[in-house]
Amino acid sequence: MIEVKNLTKRYGQHCAVDNISFTAEDGEIVGFLGPNGAGKTTTMNIVTGYISATEGDVIINGADILAEPEKAKRDIGYLPDMPPVYGEMRVDEYLRFVAEIKKVKAGQRTQMIEDIKESVKIADISSRLIKNLSKGYRQRVGLAQAMMGYPKAIIMDEPTVGLDPKQIIEMRDLVKKLGKKHTIILSSHILSEVSAVCDRVMIISKGKIIASDTPEKLSSGLTHGHQMAVRVKGEASKILSAIEEFPLIKTAKEDGSHEPGAIDLIMTGEEDVDIREAIFACMAKNNYPILSMKSLDLSLEEIFLQITSGEGSRES
Amino acid sequence: MTAILKKELRNYFNSWIGYVFLFILVGLTGIIFSLINLLNQSTAFVNVMSYFTIFMLILMPVLTMRLFAEEARQKTDQLIFTSPVTVAGIVAAKFLAALILALIGLALTFIFPLLIAPYGTLSFAPVLTAYLGYILLIAAFIAVGVFISVLTDNQIIAAVGTFVVMLVFYIMDWIASGLSSGPAASATASIIFIAALLALLAYLIYNSTKNIYAASLLPLILLAVVVALYVARPAVFDGLIVKVIRWFSIMDRFNSFNNGVINIADIVYYITFTIAFLYFSVNAIEKRRWA
């Protein structure tokens, strides 16, 4: 379990992390979501004991990271944004070094290294020099490093940056698998990624946690069905005039035609008003078949704007 | 700690640095040995050893430059500083790794006196004291190198910085003898020197506490003490600058080892010097993490 209390980090006048508190329970996957410079990496660096906080406490399984750093650090694996690998070492050599520095008992090292290589799928590159590996493999070697000694908590800073789509999916599966046994904190600036793997999401902006909830609640609270992309079969001008009879649909904008005989429209209602039924009623009444209709996913940026505007500041 | 020590040693021999260091040290010693001992038919190996200082001045920065600078550049310091190891343990491990490699080099040069020993009367005692002296001197140089390597993430800057600092220590003797006469030896110059040191102290206190009163009060009190002492007994201040520089001179003390003299005070001096710089290294790392 990771407990963070009133964490603050100041660099001179600049406040990188501003009074953050949270707990991550055992077996929970917590995601930090936020734009660059929000304080995600700084928070992780403090939680892992790489840098110290200006104020506040970090407690890992009952051990304070400042008072008992060695005890606390035994329970933490850290994969920073750049995997901390030595280019001039071979993969096996590197993992052996990591096992030693993480104080894995001598008798267990070989077996643990083999097991971890198996689970992150790097067994076939054991004897290669790390500097010759691709970004994806380096990331996996970095993850193997973080898993070494099976720490109770694994902290990952943007683990999927720079990976190809297949590797991203593999990485997500791996994180989910790890989440069954370990407490995991990961950061990302991609909403879909966080919602795919995390039990709980914390949105961080300007060093503050501005929202913390399950991904479902977070996005359902933010997508109100007030903006829909609809593909309707029929003539554009007739459809648009039909829509005018339904005041719930405030605006309808043509978004080109991607299918013969049909047009794409983006319809918007008042905020907090679900216009899906109105769209159906409108099209049904005039007998224009709806070919597809989907809610426009809010991008992270829009969610940010929404959440931060709710807090009264719109600068971000 | 042993993990890092092993890693650093392995790294010296996985890269070219370890071999090049040993090759250059033994090769240069061989050349000097041929010139001084073989061609002159002399058994005074101590004369060969007096060149070690120059070799070390050039070679030690190469051994120490990457110890911390490279970790910072590759961001692997994030691994070692988040592992269950103390900072002091990390610094000690890296220091020992460089020291062990340097000692291997020194041990290899011991072949040369052994080569000529059967063919003449070689007095081993001064050779052995000189070796002891070099072990201590090398430890001090490596500690400086470790400290400079902590301060930067650029290996070249670390190497050049270490070289310059060692060079200053090396020529401090000459500086001291240059200052021992003339205006710098006067008591007034000493007072100015002390005042400058106190100003530096005030700046350091202000830098770490941001409290202008604390920063000015302590140095002012010390300055008052110094002025009072100057009024009472000005003779204390004669040639003070030279005394201070002499005290810091790393080479001045070294010559006695080369002459076959073991002085406990000198041994303590070198060990203190080494520990002081290792302590600065630990503090510099901690401070950066606290900043």
Side-chain angles (χ1 to χ4, degrees), chain B residues 179 183-204 215-216 218-231 233-245 248:
Chain B
L179 292 178
S186 73
T188 325
S190 301
I191 292 287
I192 295 171
F193 176 65
I194 292 170
L197 284 184
L198 290 177
L200 184 68
L201 178 70
Y203 172 74
L204 288 178
S216 49
L218 181 66
L220 280 179
I221 292 172
L222 289 175
L223 190 63
V225 171
V226 168
V227 171
L229 196 63
Y230 178 65
V231 172
R233 296 179 65 184
V236 175
F237 292 94
D238 281 341
L240 189 77
I241 298 178
V242 175
K243 279 183 211 158
V244 170
I245 292 176
F248 274 109

Side-chain angles (χ1 to χ4, degrees), chain A residues 232-296:
Chain A
V232 187
K233 203 169 175 182
E235 240 176 84
S237 55
K238 283 183 184 168
I239 294 170
L240 285 170
S241 61
I243 289 171
E244 275 169 23
E245 290 168 33
F246 286 79
L248 271 181
I249 306 168
K250 279 191 75 184
T251 58
K253 214 168 62 197
E254 262 188 90
D255 193 28
S257 171
H258 300 283
E259 218 175 300
I263 59 158
D264 285 21
L265 293 163
I266 291 177
M267 302 187 199
T268 326
E270 284 286 351
E271 230 173 276
D272 302 332
V273 175
D274 193 341
I275 57 168
R276 286 174 293 185
E277 287 181 26
I279 295 170
F280 171 77
C282 166
M283 299 305 158
K285 187 181 165 201
N286 299 288
N287 210 8
Y288 295 125
I290 297 174
L291 301 180
S292 77
M293 173 156 90
K294 64 171 188 211
S295 157
L296 280 183

Side-chain angles (χ1 to χ4, degrees), chain B residues 92-103:
Chain B
K94 287 183 176 265
F95 166 77
L96 283 178
L99 185 64
I100 288 172
L101 180 63
L103 291 185

Side-chain angles (χ1 to χ4, degrees), chain A residues 149-185:
Chain A
Y150 298 128
K152 296 210 178 73
I154 298 180
I155 293 168
M156 294 179 238
D157 196 357
E158 310 214 337
T160 58
V161 164
L163 302 185
D164 66 34
K166 184 165 168 281
Q167 291 169 329
I168 289 178
I169 292 168
E170 284 175 358
M171 184 61 104
R172 281 182 195 166
D173 290 341
L174 198 58
V175 170
K176 276 189 206 164
K177 216 166 75 189
L178 285 172
K180 287 179 185 139
K181 282 189 225 153
H182 309 260
T183 308
I184 291 184
I185 298 180

